[in-house]
Short mmCIF file of all heavy atoms in Angstrom, two decimals:
data_model
loop_
_atom_site.label_atom_id
_atom_site.label_comp_id
_atom_site.label_asym_id
_atom_site.label_seq_id
_atom_site.Cartn_x
_atom_site.Cartn_y
_atom_site.Cartn_z
N ALA A 159 50.93 8.99 -27.04
CA ALA A 159 50.40 9.75 -28.18
C ALA A 159 49.03 9.24 -28.59
O ALA A 159 48.13 10.02 -28.91
CB ALA A 159 51.37 9.67 -29.35
N ALA A 160 48.87 7.92 -28.59
CA ALA A 160 47.58 7.34 -28.96
C ALA A 160 46.49 7.69 -27.94
O ALA A 160 45.34 7.97 -28.30
CB ALA A 160 47.71 5.82 -29.09
N LEU A 161 46.84 7.70 -26.67
CA LEU A 161 45.88 8.05 -25.63
C LEU A 161 45.41 9.49 -25.78
O LEU A 161 44.24 9.81 -25.56
CB LEU A 161 46.51 7.85 -24.24
CG LEU A 161 46.68 6.41 -23.78
CD1 LEU A 161 47.59 6.36 -22.56
CD2 LEU A 161 45.34 5.77 -23.45
N ARG A 162 46.31 10.37 -26.17
CA ARG A 162 45.96 11.79 -26.30
C ARG A 162 45.00 12.05 -27.46
O ARG A 162 44.38 13.11 -27.52
CB ARG A 162 47.23 12.63 -26.47
CG ARG A 162 48.11 12.66 -25.24
CD ARG A 162 49.25 13.66 -25.39
NE ARG A 162 48.73 15.00 -25.58
CZ ARG A 162 49.18 15.85 -26.50
NH1 ARG A 162 50.16 15.47 -27.32
NH2 ARG A 162 48.68 17.06 -26.62
N GLU A 163 44.89 11.10 -28.37
CA GLU A 163 43.99 11.27 -29.50
C GLU A 163 42.56 10.81 -29.21
O GLU A 163 41.66 11.00 -30.02
CB GLU A 163 44.53 10.51 -30.73
CG GLU A 163 45.84 11.06 -31.26
CD GLU A 163 45.77 12.55 -31.53
OE1 GLU A 163 44.75 13.00 -32.08
OE2 GLU A 163 46.72 13.27 -31.18
N LEU A 164 42.35 10.20 -28.04
CA LEU A 164 41.00 9.77 -27.70
C LEU A 164 40.12 10.98 -27.42
O LEU A 164 40.54 11.94 -26.79
CB LEU A 164 41.03 8.87 -26.46
CG LEU A 164 41.72 7.50 -26.60
CD1 LEU A 164 41.73 6.80 -25.25
CD2 LEU A 164 41.04 6.65 -27.65
N GLU A 165 38.88 10.93 -27.92
CA GLU A 165 37.94 12.02 -27.65
C GLU A 165 37.71 12.15 -26.14
O GLU A 165 37.62 13.24 -25.59
CB GLU A 165 36.61 11.73 -28.36
CG GLU A 165 36.71 11.77 -29.88
CD GLU A 165 36.97 13.18 -30.42
OE1 GLU A 165 36.80 14.15 -29.65
OE2 GLU A 165 37.34 13.30 -31.59
N ASN A 166 37.58 11.01 -25.47
CA ASN A 166 37.38 10.98 -24.02
C ASN A 166 38.74 10.71 -23.38
O ASN A 166 38.99 9.63 -22.86
CB ASN A 166 36.36 9.91 -23.65
CG ASN A 166 35.89 10.04 -22.23
OD1 ASN A 166 36.08 11.07 -21.60
ND2 ASN A 166 35.29 8.99 -21.72
N GLU A 167 39.61 11.70 -23.42
CA GLU A 167 41.02 11.50 -23.05
C GLU A 167 41.17 11.17 -21.56
O GLU A 167 40.67 11.91 -20.70
CB GLU A 167 41.82 12.75 -23.38
CG GLU A 167 43.32 12.60 -23.20
CD GLU A 167 44.08 13.84 -23.66
OE1 GLU A 167 43.56 14.56 -24.53
OE2 GLU A 167 45.18 14.08 -23.13
N PRO A 168 41.85 10.06 -21.24
CA PRO A 168 42.06 9.72 -19.82
C PRO A 168 43.13 10.60 -19.19
O PRO A 168 43.87 11.31 -19.89
CB PRO A 168 42.53 8.26 -19.89
CG PRO A 168 43.19 8.15 -21.22
CD PRO A 168 42.44 9.07 -22.15
N THR A 169 43.23 10.54 -17.88
CA THR A 169 44.35 11.18 -17.20
C THR A 169 45.60 10.37 -17.50
O THR A 169 45.66 9.17 -17.26
CB THR A 169 44.10 11.22 -15.68
OG1 THR A 169 42.92 11.99 -15.42
CG2 THR A 169 45.29 11.83 -14.96
N LEU A 170 46.60 11.02 -18.06
CA LEU A 170 47.80 10.34 -18.53
C LEU A 170 48.96 10.59 -17.57
O LEU A 170 49.26 11.73 -17.22
CB LEU A 170 48.17 10.84 -19.92
CG LEU A 170 49.50 10.35 -20.51
CD1 LEU A 170 49.48 8.84 -20.67
CD2 LEU A 170 49.76 11.04 -21.85
N LEU A 171 49.61 9.50 -17.15
CA LEU A 171 50.80 9.56 -16.33
C LEU A 171 51.95 8.91 -17.09
O LEU A 171 51.77 7.86 -17.70
CB LEU A 171 50.59 8.82 -15.00
CG LEU A 171 49.41 9.25 -14.13
CD1 LEU A 171 49.27 8.30 -12.94
CD2 LEU A 171 49.58 10.68 -13.66
N MET A 172 53.13 9.52 -17.04
CA MET A 172 54.31 8.95 -17.69
C MET A 172 55.34 8.57 -16.62
O MET A 172 55.51 9.27 -15.63
CB MET A 172 54.94 9.96 -18.65
CG MET A 172 54.10 10.27 -19.87
SD MET A 172 53.97 8.89 -21.02
CE MET A 172 55.67 8.67 -21.54
N THR A 173 56.02 7.45 -16.86
CA THR A 173 57.03 7.01 -15.89
C THR A 173 58.25 7.89 -15.91
O THR A 173 58.91 8.06 -14.88
CB THR A 173 57.47 5.57 -16.18
OG1 THR A 173 58.11 5.52 -17.47
CG2 THR A 173 56.30 4.61 -16.13
N GLY A 174 58.58 8.47 -17.07
CA GLY A 174 59.88 9.11 -17.19
C GLY A 174 60.97 8.05 -17.11
O GLY A 174 60.70 6.85 -17.19
N GLY A 175 62.20 8.49 -16.93
CA GLY A 175 63.30 7.54 -16.84
C GLY A 175 64.27 7.67 -18.00
O GLY A 175 64.33 8.71 -18.66
N THR A 176 65.01 6.62 -18.25
CA THR A 176 66.02 6.59 -19.31
C THR A 176 65.44 5.94 -20.55
O THR A 176 64.89 4.83 -20.48
CB THR A 176 67.26 5.81 -18.85
OG1 THR A 176 67.78 6.41 -17.66
CG2 THR A 176 68.34 5.82 -19.94
N TRP A 177 65.57 6.61 -21.70
CA TRP A 177 65.01 6.08 -22.94
C TRP A 177 65.84 4.91 -23.43
O TRP A 177 67.05 4.99 -23.56
CB TRP A 177 64.97 7.16 -24.01
CG TRP A 177 64.40 6.69 -25.31
CD1 TRP A 177 65.08 6.42 -26.46
CD2 TRP A 177 63.03 6.41 -25.59
NE1 TRP A 177 64.21 6.00 -27.44
CE2 TRP A 177 62.95 5.99 -26.94
CE3 TRP A 177 61.85 6.48 -24.84
CZ2 TRP A 177 61.74 5.63 -27.54
CZ3 TRP A 177 60.66 6.13 -25.43
CH2 TRP A 177 60.61 5.72 -26.77
N ASP A 178 65.16 3.79 -23.69
CA ASP A 178 65.82 2.59 -24.20
C ASP A 178 65.40 2.40 -25.65
O ASP A 178 64.24 2.05 -25.93
CB ASP A 178 65.42 1.37 -23.37
CG ASP A 178 65.94 0.08 -23.98
OD1 ASP A 178 67.08 0.08 -24.48
OD2 ASP A 178 65.20 -0.93 -23.97
N PRO A 179 66.30 2.60 -26.62
CA PRO A 179 65.92 2.51 -28.03
C PRO A 179 65.56 1.09 -28.46
O PRO A 179 64.83 0.91 -29.44
CB PRO A 179 67.17 3.01 -28.77
CG PRO A 179 68.29 2.79 -27.81
CD PRO A 179 67.70 2.99 -26.44
N ASN A 180 66.04 0.07 -27.75
CA ASN A 180 65.72 -1.31 -28.14
C ASN A 180 64.25 -1.64 -27.88
O ASN A 180 63.58 -2.23 -28.72
CB ASN A 180 66.62 -2.29 -27.38
CG ASN A 180 68.07 -2.16 -27.77
OD1 ASN A 180 68.40 -2.04 -28.95
ND2 ASN A 180 68.96 -2.16 -26.80
N SER A 181 63.75 -1.24 -26.72
CA SER A 181 62.35 -1.50 -26.40
C SER A 181 61.45 -0.33 -26.75
O SER A 181 60.23 -0.41 -26.64
CB SER A 181 62.19 -1.82 -24.91
OG SER A 181 62.58 -0.70 -24.12
N GLU A 182 62.07 0.80 -27.17
CA GLU A 182 61.35 2.04 -27.47
C GLU A 182 60.45 2.43 -26.31
O GLU A 182 59.26 2.69 -26.46
CB GLU A 182 60.54 1.90 -28.77
CG GLU A 182 61.41 1.74 -30.00
CD GLU A 182 60.63 1.88 -31.30
OE1 GLU A 182 59.40 1.72 -31.26
OE2 GLU A 182 61.26 2.17 -32.33
N SER A 183 61.05 2.47 -25.13
CA SER A 183 60.29 2.81 -23.92
C SER A 183 61.26 3.35 -22.88
O SER A 183 62.47 3.21 -22.99
CB SER A 183 59.57 1.58 -23.37
OG SER A 183 60.50 0.58 -22.98
N PHE A 184 60.69 3.98 -21.85
CA PHE A 184 61.49 4.46 -20.73
C PHE A 184 61.72 3.32 -19.75
O PHE A 184 60.82 2.53 -19.46
CB PHE A 184 60.79 5.63 -20.04
CG PHE A 184 60.76 6.88 -20.86
CD1 PHE A 184 59.60 7.28 -21.51
CD2 PHE A 184 61.90 7.67 -20.99
CE1 PHE A 184 59.57 8.43 -22.27
CE2 PHE A 184 61.88 8.83 -21.76
CZ PHE A 184 60.71 9.21 -22.40
N GLN A 185 62.94 3.26 -19.23
CA GLN A 185 63.33 2.22 -18.29
C GLN A 185 64.16 2.85 -17.18
O GLN A 185 64.36 4.06 -17.15
CB GLN A 185 64.15 1.13 -19.01
CG GLN A 185 63.46 0.47 -20.18
CD GLN A 185 62.39 -0.51 -19.77
OE1 GLN A 185 62.40 -1.03 -18.66
NE2 GLN A 185 61.46 -0.80 -20.67
N GLY A 186 64.63 2.03 -16.26
CA GLY A 186 65.60 2.49 -15.27
C GLY A 186 65.02 2.84 -13.92
O GLY A 186 63.82 2.74 -13.67
N GLN A 187 65.91 3.27 -13.03
CA GLN A 187 65.56 3.48 -11.62
C GLN A 187 64.55 4.61 -11.43
O GLN A 187 63.67 4.52 -10.56
CB GLN A 187 66.82 3.76 -10.81
CG GLN A 187 67.75 2.57 -10.70
CD GLN A 187 68.93 2.84 -9.81
OE1 GLN A 187 69.11 3.95 -9.30
NE2 GLN A 187 69.76 1.83 -9.60
N VAL A 188 64.65 5.67 -12.23
CA VAL A 188 63.70 6.78 -12.09
C VAL A 188 62.29 6.29 -12.40
O VAL A 188 61.34 6.58 -11.66
CB VAL A 188 64.09 7.95 -13.01
CG1 VAL A 188 62.97 9.00 -13.04
CG2 VAL A 188 65.40 8.59 -12.55
N ALA A 189 62.15 5.55 -13.49
CA ALA A 189 60.84 5.01 -13.85
C ALA A 189 60.30 4.08 -12.76
O ALA A 189 59.11 4.11 -12.43
CB ALA A 189 60.93 4.27 -15.19
N GLU A 190 61.18 3.27 -12.20
CA GLU A 190 60.76 2.35 -11.14
C GLU A 190 60.30 3.10 -9.90
O GLU A 190 59.29 2.74 -9.27
CB GLU A 190 61.92 1.40 -10.81
CG GLU A 190 62.26 0.44 -11.95
CD GLU A 190 63.50 -0.39 -11.67
OE1 GLU A 190 63.93 -0.40 -10.49
OE2 GLU A 190 64.04 -1.00 -12.60
N GLN A 191 61.02 4.17 -9.54
CA GLN A 191 60.64 4.96 -8.37
C GLN A 191 59.29 5.62 -8.56
O GLN A 191 58.47 5.69 -7.63
CB GLN A 191 61.72 6.00 -8.08
CG GLN A 191 63.03 5.41 -7.57
CD GLN A 191 64.15 6.43 -7.49
OE1 GLN A 191 63.95 7.61 -7.82
NE2 GLN A 191 65.32 5.99 -7.07
N VAL A 192 59.03 6.13 -9.76
CA VAL A 192 57.74 6.75 -10.05
C VAL A 192 56.62 5.73 -9.89
O VAL A 192 55.59 6.00 -9.26
CB VAL A 192 57.73 7.34 -11.48
CG1 VAL A 192 56.31 7.76 -11.88
CG2 VAL A 192 58.67 8.54 -11.56
N LEU A 193 56.80 4.54 -10.44
CA LEU A 193 55.76 3.51 -10.35
C LEU A 193 55.48 3.11 -8.91
O LEU A 193 54.33 2.85 -8.54
CB LEU A 193 56.18 2.28 -11.15
CG LEU A 193 55.85 2.33 -12.64
CD1 LEU A 193 56.67 1.31 -13.40
CD2 LEU A 193 54.36 2.10 -12.85
N ARG A 194 56.50 3.06 -8.10
CA ARG A 194 56.33 2.65 -6.70
C ARG A 194 55.54 3.69 -5.88
O ARG A 194 55.13 3.41 -4.76
CB ARG A 194 57.68 2.39 -6.05
CG ARG A 194 58.37 1.13 -6.57
CD ARG A 194 59.58 0.76 -5.71
NE ARG A 194 60.16 -0.51 -6.13
CZ ARG A 194 61.28 -0.61 -6.86
NH1 ARG A 194 61.92 0.49 -7.24
NH2 ARG A 194 61.74 -1.79 -7.20
N SER A 195 55.35 4.87 -6.46
CA SER A 195 54.60 5.92 -5.77
C SER A 195 53.10 5.79 -5.97
O SER A 195 52.33 6.56 -5.39
CB SER A 195 55.06 7.31 -6.27
OG SER A 195 56.44 7.51 -6.05
N TYR A 196 52.67 4.85 -6.84
CA TYR A 196 51.26 4.70 -7.16
C TYR A 196 50.81 3.27 -6.91
O TYR A 196 51.61 2.36 -6.72
CB TYR A 196 51.02 5.02 -8.65
CG TYR A 196 51.29 6.45 -9.04
CD1 TYR A 196 52.57 6.86 -9.42
CD2 TYR A 196 50.26 7.39 -9.07
CE1 TYR A 196 52.82 8.17 -9.80
CE2 TYR A 196 50.50 8.70 -9.47
CZ TYR A 196 51.78 9.09 -9.82
OH TYR A 196 52.02 10.37 -10.21
N ASP A 197 49.49 3.09 -6.95
CA ASP A 197 48.95 1.73 -7.01
C ASP A 197 47.89 1.72 -8.12
O ASP A 197 47.22 2.72 -8.38
CB ASP A 197 48.34 1.29 -5.68
CG ASP A 197 47.15 2.16 -5.28
OD1 ASP A 197 47.39 3.24 -4.74
OD2 ASP A 197 46.00 1.74 -5.52
N PHE A 198 47.76 0.57 -8.78
CA PHE A 198 46.91 0.46 -9.96
C PHE A 198 46.01 -0.77 -9.87
O PHE A 198 46.32 -1.73 -9.17
CB PHE A 198 47.77 0.38 -11.22
CG PHE A 198 48.58 1.61 -11.48
CD1 PHE A 198 49.86 1.75 -10.96
CD2 PHE A 198 48.06 2.66 -12.22
CE1 PHE A 198 50.60 2.90 -11.16
CE2 PHE A 198 48.80 3.82 -12.44
CZ PHE A 198 50.07 3.93 -11.91
N ASP A 199 44.91 -0.69 -10.61
CA ASP A 199 44.00 -1.83 -10.66
C ASP A 199 44.54 -2.92 -11.57
O ASP A 199 44.45 -4.11 -11.25
CB ASP A 199 42.61 -1.39 -11.16
CG ASP A 199 41.98 -0.36 -10.25
OD1 ASP A 199 41.78 -0.70 -9.06
OD2 ASP A 199 41.69 0.76 -10.70
N GLN A 200 45.10 -2.52 -12.73
CA GLN A 200 45.50 -3.51 -13.72
C GLN A 200 46.76 -3.09 -14.46
O GLN A 200 47.00 -1.89 -14.68
CB GLN A 200 44.38 -3.70 -14.76
CG GLN A 200 43.08 -4.27 -14.21
CD GLN A 200 41.92 -3.97 -15.13
OE1 GLN A 200 41.67 -2.82 -15.51
NE2 GLN A 200 41.18 -5.00 -15.51
N LEU A 201 47.55 -4.07 -14.84
CA LEU A 201 48.68 -3.89 -15.75
C LEU A 201 48.40 -4.69 -17.00
O LEU A 201 48.06 -5.88 -16.93
CB LEU A 201 49.98 -4.37 -15.10
CG LEU A 201 51.15 -4.65 -16.06
CD1 LEU A 201 51.61 -3.37 -16.75
CD2 LEU A 201 52.31 -5.32 -15.32
N PHE A 202 48.56 -4.05 -18.16
CA PHE A 202 48.45 -4.73 -19.45
C PHE A 202 49.84 -4.74 -20.08
O PHE A 202 50.40 -3.69 -20.38
CB PHE A 202 47.44 -4.03 -20.36
CG PHE A 202 46.04 -4.10 -19.83
CD1 PHE A 202 45.56 -3.14 -18.96
CD2 PHE A 202 45.21 -5.16 -20.18
CE1 PHE A 202 44.28 -3.22 -18.45
CE2 PHE A 202 43.92 -5.25 -19.67
CZ PHE A 202 43.45 -4.27 -18.80
N VAL A 203 50.38 -5.94 -20.25
CA VAL A 203 51.76 -6.08 -20.69
C VAL A 203 51.84 -7.15 -21.78
O VAL A 203 51.11 -8.14 -21.74
CB VAL A 203 52.68 -6.43 -19.49
CG1 VAL A 203 52.26 -7.73 -18.84
CG2 VAL A 203 54.15 -6.48 -19.89
N GLY A 204 52.70 -6.94 -22.75
CA GLY A 204 52.90 -7.92 -23.81
C GLY A 204 54.02 -8.88 -23.47
O GLY A 204 54.52 -8.92 -22.34
#
């Protein structure tokens, strides 16, 4: 949602998957399979 508010909006990709209310994010095998289909320059993680 925050990315979509940028004036210079980037190309947005979502992992999809199973919603996890504890982490408030998508998790699971579907999300993992989607990620394995791409390669990225950087990961920013907390």
